[in-house]
Amino acid sequence: MSTKPLHHSEDRRKTPHGDTLFYKIMLGLNIAAWAGLVVVLILFHYARPEFITGVQQYWGVEGDNTWTMSYVDAMVVLLRICLVLSLISTVMRARRSRRKNDSFGINLIILTIIVATSLITLATTVS
């Protein structure tokens, strides 16, 4: 007769945190949020007004000096999604980090600051 218990009783504290499903979900959210920010930067390139140089003004070359609102709307939606993903990932990391050698997740804080600042800037400058 076996002396092993009927349920799996491996000590989860000895399992590397990179092997857990929780960590993989948290990492996936983090990567998705950063990828979303890259997409926002691409949208920003197409949404912003054209830069009209002095030479263009002198020659009378016309340029678009307004924001493309469809791109701006997409940027705002994507920035909000990035903000939610980064906040969820930050909360997950805070709940998971209990060991002294666990990382703090400064990249998520930087991402949250960048996204929040971008949302505020868009709300105050684009009309």
Side-chain angles (χ1 to χ4, degrees):
M1 191 168 191
S2 175
T3 59
K4 286 188 170 187
L6 294 176
H7 64 280
H8 186 65
S9 65
E10 182 179 327
D11 190 5
R12 68 176 179 81
R13 290 176 287 190
K14 293 181 181 178
T15 304
H17 67 278
D19 292 342
T20 63
L21 179 64
F22 186 86
Y23 180 79
K24 290 177 183 177
I25 291 171
M26 185 176 59
L27 183 64
L29 291 174
N30 193 352
I31 291 171
W34 279 104
L37 184 63
V38 170
V39 173
V40 167
L41 290 173
I42 294 168
L43 288 173
F44 174 78
H45 172 72
Y46 292 108
R48 67 183 174 179
E50 293 178 7
F51 179 72
I52 301 171
T53 64
V55 173
Q56 287 174 320
Q57 286 179 348
Y58 178 75
W59 286 343
V61 176
E62 294 290 323
D64 186 16
N65 59 357
T66 60
W67 287 83
T68 308
M69 291 312 289
S70 60
Y71 288 127
V72 171
D73 294 340
M75 284 172 44
V76 169
V77 168
L78 199 51
L79 282 170
R80 288 178 181 168
I81 291 170
C82 289
L83 184 63
V84 168
L85 290 178
S86 64
L87 289 174
I88 290 171
S89 191
T90 302
V91 169
M92 288 175 73
R93 182 176 291 270
R95 290 186 159 267
R96 183 66 176 189
S97 296
R98 294 186 183 144
R99 302 178 188 122
K100 288 183 181 179
N101 61 352
D102 284 346
S103 62
F104 184 65
I106 193 73
N107 66 331
L108 290 171
I109 294 170
I110 290 171
L111 177 64
T112 304
I113 291 170
I114 290 170
V115 170
T117 304
S118 299
L119 281 170
I120 293 168
T121 303
L122 277 174
T124 57
T125 59
V126 177
S127 54

